[in-house]
Amino acid sequence: MSADILSFIIFLPAVVAFGLMITTKHVETVRNIAFLTTTVILALVLKLYIEFEPSAGMQFVTNVPWISSYGINYYIGVDGFSLTILMMIAILIPTAYLLLWEGRTKGYWINMLLVQAGVTGSLLALDVILFYFFWEVMLLPVFLMIGIYGFGDKVFTTIKVTVYTMLGSLLMFVAMLYLGVTYHAEFGTWSFQYDSLTQITSLSYNEKIWLFLAFLSAFAIKIPIFPLHTWIMETYKNAPTGAVFLLSSIMAKLGVYAIVRFLIPIFPEIYVEFSSWFVFIGLFGLIYFGIAALMQDDIKRMFAYSSASHLSFIAAGIFSLNVFGINGALYLIIAHAIATGALFLLVGIIHDETGYKTIKDLGGLAKQSPIFTTIFAIMLFANVGLPGTNGFVSELLIIFGIYEFNHTLGYISALTVIIGASYMLWMFQRAILQDREGEALKFRDLKIKEIVGLAPWVILVFLMGIYPDIFIDKFEPTVTHYLNDILQIGAAK
Amino acid sequence: MNELIHILPVSLILISAVGLMFMSMYENKFSTKQYITVSSVVLIVALVFTFIPLGELYAVRPYNNIFNDVLIFDSFSNFFNILLILGTLLTLLIGENYFRSNKYFKGEFFSILLFALFGMMLLANANELVTAFIALEIASFAVYVMVGYDSQDSKRVEAIFKYLVLGSFIGAFYLLGVVLVYGATATTNLTEIATYISTHSNSELTLVYIGLTLILFTFLFKISAFPFQQWVLDVYRGAPMIITAYMASTFKIAIFSFFLRAVLQDIEPLIDFWDSIIYIIIILTLVFGTWLAITQKIVKRMLAASSIVHTGYLLLAFIALGQNIDAAYATVFYLIAYLLSALGSFGIISHIISETKVRVTYDDFKGLAKERPYLAAMMTIFLFSLAGIPSTIGFIGKFYVFTEAINAGYILLAVLAIVATFVSVYYYFKLIAMMYFYPTKEECLDNDFNDKRVSTYAIAFLAIITVVGGIGSAIVFFIPALNIDTLINMTQIAIQSLFIKS
């Protein structure tokens, strides 16, 4: 049973989604069953988390032939890296359901379930073709969600997102096929498993660079890394809250995850050689998106830029080639998912209730809704990295990592944190605290079920901020394995 | 007696075609429904007979002294016969609604359909150039008639005229090619031509080269590759919807069945000679087809234009044959994938058109998802498959083709094909966007539709196969029967039977 638990986690949402699609028309039934499914998954992931032994290897592996004539296997497993992210997804999604509770249609919930299946699948897949399969599958429901439930020029937005992500995906697809064919030429058998692909030795330097870039393009678009970010503006503005939440707090993280899972093991020397470029691009993105966020009036767009800014920071950490940076990046993946996810959902509530999206239209929310404001503030502080929150731990680790990588860049990264703090606090002051002149804004406070939904996030923010070791211990061995065995750089700890 | 089994399906189709022709003399006695039932039963019986030797490797030349080796029955032809019968059967079932709501489909139509199938099956079994020509013409003429089936419609008259004239013209090229080959080798039998080629040096083969190139032109015309793609849009647009589906999928398979045999079994060395020609043809086919597909406003024309792009992918696998034989499996698999998705997508559209008659352009498909969610969902599956999105059989098909192309060293072509795939996402997804993201147009609203019909179930069956063929054992790995590998194994056995010397 324990070997099949992963498959169960992946396919349960999909099976439930298809079942709901053809059986019932009742929105509330669909929502309740969907929510129940996510809690079942949460329970399973918790069981997995407890049973997981902190070590470098893959656990709970299932490897059965899928298309055996081409050596494509249904090969899934979990290690410290994916487990942490899996845990995050399992906690975030049910709480998101609680915050999106009212007034959604059947298709909305079904699409949410399908996204969860796709995301979990691509997180656990260890065969590149299987990974590609899930990677594409998770995009399609989001495509439908934006197109059907979005606002403004939603069709244009949908097409733009699809075109961008498909372009990246197809480049990655070519690279995967090329690797598979190279493996075939070298070893005489077909295989698309990532651990077989790491054994390829016959690639020339130029080939490796091209393949590396092809893979990276898919991941960088998803994250998004500067300059492949231009799709996020319209998308975050026009997409429905659920889709924005999924894109920013979950799918973007999979881009980062995929860099670690596939790029580092398959192209270690290219990764090391170009790391300084990517740290630089990451820091540039951090500053660029930060400044852009400062200038936004639309609150969702501001969060879009802020999210991109933090994601660039994560990317910089991933490429910093030492245990601090990578640990910090992984930690920030979680912290950012929690904080940004919550903020997007809270802004979604503001938008649903008041219809306002621009910062200058808002104000005075603090008086009418103290609980809302408190939680909003906690997430905001976590996002800007206030000591005591998980944001602080992760940013500190990344800054250490970058400092060790290059002192000057380390100083720069430390200073840039202030940009994040300034736009966030400025927005908070204008949109939530300050009293608006004229008619009072009608706004309700959070309901009990929304508070229940957000409670685990608040707890996690502080727990991860105050006592990070219980989490870091789970993935530390994996990170050192990456550095010592794959990159052959002595771990700094 | 054993030999009878092999020729039974083909002869059954021929006899039933003639039988239906006689039946159609008593027009008023039988309804369209009865014709459909009779033809379906015949097809299912034929299918059962073809399924008996499925999965075994064999090659027989029955009644050698009567047929003089012009026909060969092997796993290869059997495999293609299954596809052809299945394609025809599905066309018939999907078109049920369309045939019944358009009164001009009289009894003889079903007889012609079976004649077309007979011609195509004969083509798959042909082992000789002239027999192949006759088979090709039987099938083509039946298709010509079906294209122009409603003489009241001026578009249809234009379509049949264009297709008939061009088709006959290109047929002349084929005959000229055969003559030249015969002039050089003194035989039209494929096996003997192969022996001739392998025993003579390159300088003695000029005439054969020219002859075979002329035959290649016919092939390119029939599968609508560049520069012979001009007729496709008008003919596909003019033909009854369901016939368009038939031409795009089943007829294309029949053409490939013969030319794959010819290339693989006998004239393989010649593919090097064609290499650079086909290389350029693929590039132009992909580019031109893509450009045509983007610029269309009418959905049917878009699907027709995109079928040119799919021809490009097929040729990509075809050219890779010169380097490795595995590419043959890719070609066959892609044909199956395209058969399913094309029949499905054209089928749904014909199903919808037969009731409302107003859905023609992209705009007319607005809001279909709200009106008829299941049809829209199935259409989405087929469009995903055509675009090669994972979890559909179209993805697996593309995966094979691209892998084999890269494996054969055609990396640039593979990249170009992937770019074409990328662009195809645009024109396929545009239709999905229309169905899902807009409110319904008023003039297209129609609440009287009845989706509990044979056609809907046939389409649903196709949709399920399209998904299962893409996911296969990944989701149901405890059910061994639903395995993509089984399908690949069958294509491999089929191809290998070409190399049995009997």
Side-chain angles (χ1 to χ4, degrees):
Chain A
M1 175 59 205
S2 65
D4 294 332
I5 188 170
L6 292 185
S7 310
F8 200 71
I9 292 172
I10 297 173
F11 289 113
L12 182 66
V15 171
V16 173
F18 285 116
L20 290 174
M21 202 186 296
I22 51 175
T23 49
T24 173
K25 279 204 163 70
H26 218 265
V27 181
E28 279 167 19
T29 323
V30 171
R31 179 195 62 201
N32 295 345
I33 294 178
F35 177 68
L36 195 69
T37 313
T38 59
T39 51
V40 169
I41 289 169
L42 177 59
L44 288 171
V45 173
L46 272 175
K47 178 173 145 43
L48 197 73
Y49 196 80
I50 294 162
E51 285 179 17
F52 183 85
E53 302 287 332
S55 72
M58 285 290 163
Q59 294 174 39
F60 302 97
V61 173
T62 304
N63 193 352
V64 287
W66 176 19
I67 306 172
S68 41
S69 12
Y70 279 88
I72 300 172
N73 287 0
Y74 175 78
Y75 180 29
I76 52 171
V78 70
D79 69 355
F81 250 117
S82 39
L83 181 74
T84 319
I85 298 175
L86 180 67
M87 192 68 209
M88 169 197 97
I89 296 171
I91 298 177
L92 286 188
I93 288 184
T95 47
Y97 274 67
L98 287 174
L99 268 80
L100 294 168
W101 200 254
E102 305 293 343
R104 313 285 161 185
T105 60
K106 181 184 162 187
Y108 201 91
W109 300 114
I110 288 176
N111 279 324
M112 291 274 283
L113 280 177
L114 291 175
V115 174
Q116 189 173 10
V119 167
T120 320
S122 42
L123 183 68
L124 300 176
L126 299 176
D127 184 295
V128 288
I129 298 295
L130 187 69
F131 170 77
Y132 181 76
F133 169 83
F134 284 121
W135 181 263
E136 292 293 286
V137 164
M138 79 182 174
L139 279 179
L140 301 172
V142 172
F143 165 78
L144 288 177
M145 277 175 92
I146 300 174
I148 302 175
Y149 309 109
F151 324 100
D153 195 356
K154 56 187 183 178
V155 178
F156 173 74
T157 309
T158 328
I159 289 176
K160 191 165 178 183
V161 181
T162 317
V163 164
Y164 257 95
T165 43
M166 283 281 167
L167 182 65
S169 304
L170 285 170
L171 286 174
M172 172 169 78
F173 188 51
V174 183
M176 285 173 176
L177 296 183
Y178 196 89
L179 279 175
V181 169
T182 315
Y183 183 87
H184 177 67
E186 194 173 328
F187 296 91
T189 53
W190 288 98
S191 176
F192 286 91
Q193 297 182 14
Y194 97 104
D195 42 9
S196 328
L197 297 182
T198 55
Q199 294 160 10
I200 295 175
T201 51
S202 60
L203 285 172
S204 74
Y205 179 75
N206 278 336
E207 279 175 315
K208 276 186 195 167
I209 288 184
W210 282 109
L211 294 173
F212 182 85
L213 289 177
F215 268 100
L216 190 66
S217 63
F219 305 147
I221 287 173
K222 190 56 75 61
I223 294 178
I225 293 176
F226 183 88
L228 300 170
H229 64 279
T230 54
W231 60 272
I232 61 164
M233 267 54 95
E234 284 94 356
T235 309
Y236 284 19
K237 187 171 157 232
N238 295 338
T241 314
V244 174
F245 161 77
L246 291 168
L247 279 169
S248 69
S249 35
I250 293 175
M251 291 188 189
K253 308 308 183 299
L254 276 178
V256 181
Y257 161 79
I259 290 182
V260 178
R261 170 65 70 235
F262 296 108
L263 277 188
I264 298 183
I266 299 178
F267 311 101
E269 55 287 50
I270 306 290
Y271 170 79
V272 171
E273 189 181 334
F274 287 93
S275 56
S276 52
W277 281 95
F278 290 108
V279 171
F280 183 76
I281 291 175
L283 286 180
F284 179 78
L286 172 68
I287 299 168
Y288 174 86
F289 291 129
I291 292 171
L294 263 175
M295 300 190 296
Q296 296 306 313
D297 192 35
D298 184 303
I299 195 163
K300 266 170 116 181
R301 276 176 82 120
M302 199 214 86
F303 278 122
Y305 278 112
S306 123
S307 168
S309 172
H310 279 95
L311 284 160
S312 301
F313 202 29
I314 294 175
I318 287 287
F319 282 98
S320 69
L321 299 183
N322 59 61
V323 76
F324 289 122
I326 297 178
N327 270 346
L330 187 54
Y331 217 64
L332 188 55
I333 287 177
I334 313 294
H336 176 260
I338 293 172
T340 313
L343 287 173
F344 268 121
L345 291 171
L346 291 172
V347 169
I349 293 179
I350 297 183
H351 178 54
D352 287 352
E353 292 291 316
T354 66
Y356 292 130
K357 283 193 291 186
T358 53
I359 296 174
K360 69 173 184 337
D361 288 333
L362 296 165
L365 296 185
K367 269 187 199 160
Q368 299 174 32
S369 46
I371 306 175
F372 178 90
T373 310
T374 313
I375 295 181
F376 198 91
I378 291 171
M379 293 304 165
L380 203 76
F381 291 141
N383 207 344
V384 296
L386 201 75
T389 63
N390 53 8
F392 174 73
V393 178
S394 26
E395 290 189 6
L396 198 68
L397 282 171
I398 295 182
I399 292 169
F400 280 169
I402 296 178
Y403 180 79
E404 203 169 287
F405 180 76
N406 179 314
H407 289 354
T408 324
L409 290 176
Y411 293 130
I412 295 173
S413 66
L415 288 174
T416 50
V417 173
I418 205 154
I419 300 175
S422 49
Y423 63 72
M424 277 295 187
L425 296 176
W426 193 33
M427 181 278 297
F428 189 61
Q429 194 266 327
R430 286 183 297 164
I432 310 285
L433 298 178
Q434 150 191 285
D435 274 339
R436 202 163 65 118
E437 287 168 22
E439 93 269 32
L441 203 62
K442 283 210 176 62
F443 189 67
R444 64 168 173 87
D445 208 345
L446 291 180
K447 295 173 185 162
I448 295 294
K449 88 173 143 293
E450 288 161 349
I451 298 170
V452 171
L454 287 169
W457 301 21
V458 174
I459 295 169
L460 270 180
V461 163
F462 291 116
L463 190 62
M464 288 174 72
I466 294 162
Y467 192 44
D469 275 358
I470 46 169
F471 300 97
I472 291 185
D473 283 350
K474 284 275 184 187
F475 60 79
E476 175 91 57
T478 314
V479 173
T480 22
H481 160 72
Y482 267 89
L483 287 167
N484 289 339
D485 305 345
I486 298 173
L487 299 175
Q488 287 152 0
I489 298 169
K493 205 170 172 184
Chain B
M1 194 60 209
N2 267 340
E3 295 181 330
L4 188 66
I5 286 265
H6 297 299
I7 62 164
L8 206 55
V10 187
S11 21
L12 180 68
I13 299 293
L14 178 63
I15 293 164
S16 332
V18 176
L20 275 171
M21 200 160 72
F22 283 116
M23 225 171 115
S24 66
M25 291 198 300
Y26 307 96
E27 195 122 303
N28 304 325
K29 286 198 176 159
F30 306 102
S31 66
T32 312
K33 193 181 171 187
Q34 282 166 314
Y35 283 110
I36 295 174
T37 318
V38 171
S39 344
S40 312
V41 169
V42 167
L43 289 172
I44 290 168
V45 172
L47 204 56
V48 170
F49 282 118
T50 45
F51 265 111
I52 294 171
L54 186 67
E56 48 178 286
L57 196 60
Y58 69 94
V60 289
R61 293 163 190 211
Y63 310 110
N64 209 343
N65 39 3
I66 310 174
F67 289 150
N68 194 24
D69 262 4
V70 296
L71 292 180
I72 182 165
F73 292 82
D74 51 11
S75 311
F76 182 82
S77 64
N78 186 53
F79 187 76
F80 274 96
N81 282 343
I82 291 175
L83 291 183
L84 295 172
I85 297 174
L86 209 60
T88 313
L89 180 64
L90 286 169
T91 310
L92 202 59
L93 295 180
I94 289 173
E96 181 254 3
N97 199 10
Y98 191 79
F99 295 137
R100 288 175 66 180
S101 53
N102 290 297
K103 291 289 168 251
Y104 51 81
F105 287 109
K106 304 251 174 60
E108 65 265 20
F109 176 83
F110 302 96
S111 162
I112 296 169
L113 186 68
L114 288 192
F115 270 118
L117 176 62
F118 169 70
M120 295 192 288
M121 288 171 76
L122 212 54
L123 191 60
N125 289 320
N127 192 33
E128 192 248 0
L129 291 174
V130 176
T131 315
F133 180 71
I134 294 167
L136 188 63
E137 289 300 289
I138 294 175
S140 298
F141 267 90
V143 172
Y144 296 151
V145 176
M146 291 194 287
V147 166
Y149 211 71
D150 177 16
S151 54
Q152 302 297 314
D153 187 335
S154 63
K155 280 219 168 56
R156 233 149 256 187
V157 176
E158 183 201 338
I160 184 177
F161 226 74
K162 214 166 204 171
Y163 194 32
L164 181 65
V165 170
L166 290 174
S168 314
F169 185 64
I170 207 74
F173 273 87
Y174 183 96
L175 278 184
L176 183 61
V178 174
V179 168
L180 294 180
V181 172
Y182 184 78
T185 63
T187 176
T188 53
N189 188 299
L190 287 179
T191 324
E192 288 166 24
I193 296 173
T195 326
Y196 181 88
I197 291 173
S198 55
T199 51
H200 288 72
S201 72
N202 249 352
S203 56
E204 296 168 289
L205 289 173
T206 323
L207 216 51
V208 180
Y209 277 132
I210 297 172
L212 291 174
T213 308
L214 288 174
I215 292 173
L216 178 76
F217 282 167
T218 314
F219 169 62
L220 293 176
F221 174 84
K222 293 285 181 190
I223 63 166
S224 63
F226 190 90
F228 304 104
Q229 87 296 354
Q230 289 299 348
W231 57 275
V232 173
L233 285 193
D234 294 328
V235 174
Y236 279 22
R237 168 82 175 100
M241 195 66 214
I242 200 74
I243 301 308
T244 316
Y246 195 59
M247 289 166 71
S249 53
T250 319
F251 196 36
K252 213 178 238 177
I253 289 183
I255 308 291
F256 262 95
S257 71
F258 175 69
F259 286 95
L260 263 184
R261 176 193 294 280
V263 167
L264 284 173
Q265 191 181 14
D266 305 304
I267 45 182
E268 210 195 328
L270 287 196
I271 203 159
D272 293 338
F273 171 71
W274 287 341
D275 213 56
S276 46
I277 306 176
I278 297 185
Y279 197 97
I280 294 164
I281 286 176
I282 292 173
I283 294 176
L284 292 173
T285 306
L286 286 173
V287 171
F288 210 78
T290 305
W291 180 72
L292 274 179
I294 303 174
T295 48
Q296 299 308 318
K297 288 203 172 57
I298 295 168
V299 171
K300 196 179 174 188
R301 278 177 78 104
M302 180 277 284
L303 287 176
S306 80
S307 84
I308 300 174
V309 183
H310 289 278
T311 300
Y313 301 138
L314 280 165
L315 280 177
L316 182 59
F318 194 73
I319 194 178
L321 279 176
Q323 310 300 322
N324 60 346
I325 198 73
D326 287 353
Y329 315 144
T331 319
V332 177
F333 196 93
Y334 198 87
L335 281 170
I336 299 173
Y338 185 66
L339 170 80
L340 295 172
S341 1
L343 262 185
S345 51
F346 281 103
I348 288 188
I349 292 179
S350 79
H351 178 79
I352 295 168
I353 286 176
S354 62
E355 276 169 358
T356 58
K357 296 191 197 291
V358 284
R359 297 199 194 261
V360 181
T361 62
Y362 273 107
D363 268 5
D364 299 335
F365 278 82
K366 280 183 178 169
L368 187 73
K370 285 192 195 75
E371 241 182 292
R372 301 160 91 165
Y374 293 109
L375 278 192
M378 290 191 282
M379 187 69 192
T380 310
I381 290 176
F382 295 126
L383 291 172
F384 279 170
S385 181
L386 287 171
I389 303 290
S391 81
T392 59
I393 194 165
F395 167 70
I396 308 278
K398 286 214 169 67
F399 167 80
Y400 288 151
V401 169
F402 295 157
T403 313
E404 291 309 338
I406 294 175
N407 206 6
Y410 296 102
I411 295 162
L412 272 182
L413 277 185
V415 171
L416 184 73
I418 287 192
V419 171
T421 308
F422 170 62
V423 181
S424 80
V425 169
Y426 167 77
Y427 49 77
Y428 290 132
F429 275 47
K430 200 162 122 191
L431 186 57
I432 300 176
M434 289 297 160
M435 293 193 298
Y436 279 92
F437 304 160
Y438 292 95
T440 318
K441 274 175 82 178
E442 254 174 53
E443 60 269 34
C444 297
L445 267 176
D446 176 20
N447 291 320
D448 300 332
F449 56 79
N450 171 17
D451 274 341
K452 293 209 164 101
R453 311 191 67 106
V454 179
S455 348
T456 336
Y457 295 119
I459 295 167
F461 171 74
L462 271 178
I464 291 168
I465 299 287
T466 307
V467 174
V468 170
I471 301 174
S473 51
I475 203 165
V476 279
F477 44 85
F478 35 84
I479 305 175
L482 293 172
N483 204 324
I484 302 170
D485 278 320
T486 325
L487 200 54
I488 298 171
N489 282 342
M490 277 190 282
T491 61
Q492 289 178 342
I493 289 173
I495 301 288
Q496 280 152 13
S497 79
L498 293 178
F499 304 105
I500 305 176
K501 299 286 173 224
S502 62

